[in-house]
Amino acid sequence: MAKSAPARRAPTSKTVTVRSSRPREYLTEREIDKLMAAARANRWGHRDATAIFIAYRHGLRASEVVGLRWDDVDLQAGKLHVRRAKDGATSVHPLTGNELRALRKLQASTIQNDRVIALGTLAASVAHEINNPLTYMLGHLVFLKESL
């Protein structure tokens, strides 16, 4: 007599609430949205909100976010090169549409800010160069006036 295999039943899905003594150790998407909205309220809001968004989406540590450079971001290919801290493996992460839009906007504003800073430095240099001869001449005119 051959043994017959026990009848298998298809698994059923069941919603189960898992209770744990440990609290949740991650932020929900809704909490991230609130955090990003709060970050947008400061002077560098878009930069800070983008950093929070990238850190959340890619699971980056603070030191990893701070260590990101523009040459780590490939906007054409939609890739982010991440150098992991604590002996983690360097990896390449795909960027989504929202991330790409935020990074492009940030890059454009960074370039604009760099231009404004350069223009301000140039204006200060020119003002300094103009002011020096005028101060020299003014000092001599006062001296000549007093000596007459």
Side-chain angles (χ1 to χ4, degrees), residues 105-144:
K105 182 177 175 184
L106 179 61
Q107 189 176 50
S109 69
T110 301
I111 291 168
Q112 182 64 28
N113 288 340
D114 288 347
R115 287 182 185 151
V116 170
I117 289 169
L119 182 61
T121 304
L122 176 64
S125 299
V126 169
H128 176 73
E129 293 302 320
I130 290 172
N131 193 26
N132 278 346
L134 292 176
T135 304
Y136 176 79
M137 289 173 28
L138 182 62
H140 278 69
L141 287 173
V142 170
F143 174 74
L144 286 172

Side-chain angles (χ1 to χ4, degrees):
M1 241 183 157
K3 277 186 164 182
S4 62
R8 291 186 181 183
R9 290 192 295 180
T12 59
S13 63
K14 182 178 175 184
T15 303
V16 178
T17 302
V18 177
R19 302 210 190 274
S20 172
S21 60
R22 284 181 60 170
R24 175 171 49 95
E25 295 180 4
Y26 59 90
L27 297 174
T28 64
E29 196 164 338
R30 186 169 170 220
E31 290 168 331
I32 290 295
D33 289 340
K34 286 182 181 180
L35 186 60
M36 288 171 51
R40 282 189 188 95
N42 72 29
R43 180 178 181 186
W44 303 107
H46 180 68
R47 178 201 64 189
D48 295 348
T50 301
I52 291 167
F53 187 49
I54 296 295
Y56 170 70
R57 294 294 287 252
H58 297 280
L60 303 180
R61 294 178 174 93
S63 62
E64 294 165 348
V65 172
V66 172
L68 287 175
R69 300 181 314 235
W70 279 115
D71 58 350
D72 295 330
V73 179
D74 185 353
L75 295 174
Q76 300 293 352
K79 304 284 183 194
L80 176 67
H81 301 271
V82 178
R83 291 177 305 281
R84 291 289 185 178
K86 297 187 177 182
D87 297 325
T90 300
S91 57
V92 178
H93 296 222
L95 294 169
T96 64
N98 290 338
E99 293 168 291
L100 286 169
R101 281 187 287 281
L103 287 167
R104 282 189 181 111
K105 182 177 175 184
L106 179 61
Q107 189 176 50
S109 69
T110 301
I111 291 168
Q112 182 64 28
N113 288 340
D114 288 347
R115 287 182 185 151
V116 170
I117 289 169
L119 182 61
T121 304
L122 176 64
S125 299
V126 169
H128 176 73
E129 293 302 320
I130 290 172
N131 193 26
N132 278 346
L134 292 176
T135 304
Y136 176 79
M137 289 173 28
L138 182 62
H140 278 69
L141 287 173
V142 170
F143 174 74
L144 286 172
K145 181 181 174 187
E146 289 175 359
S147 64
L148 292 174

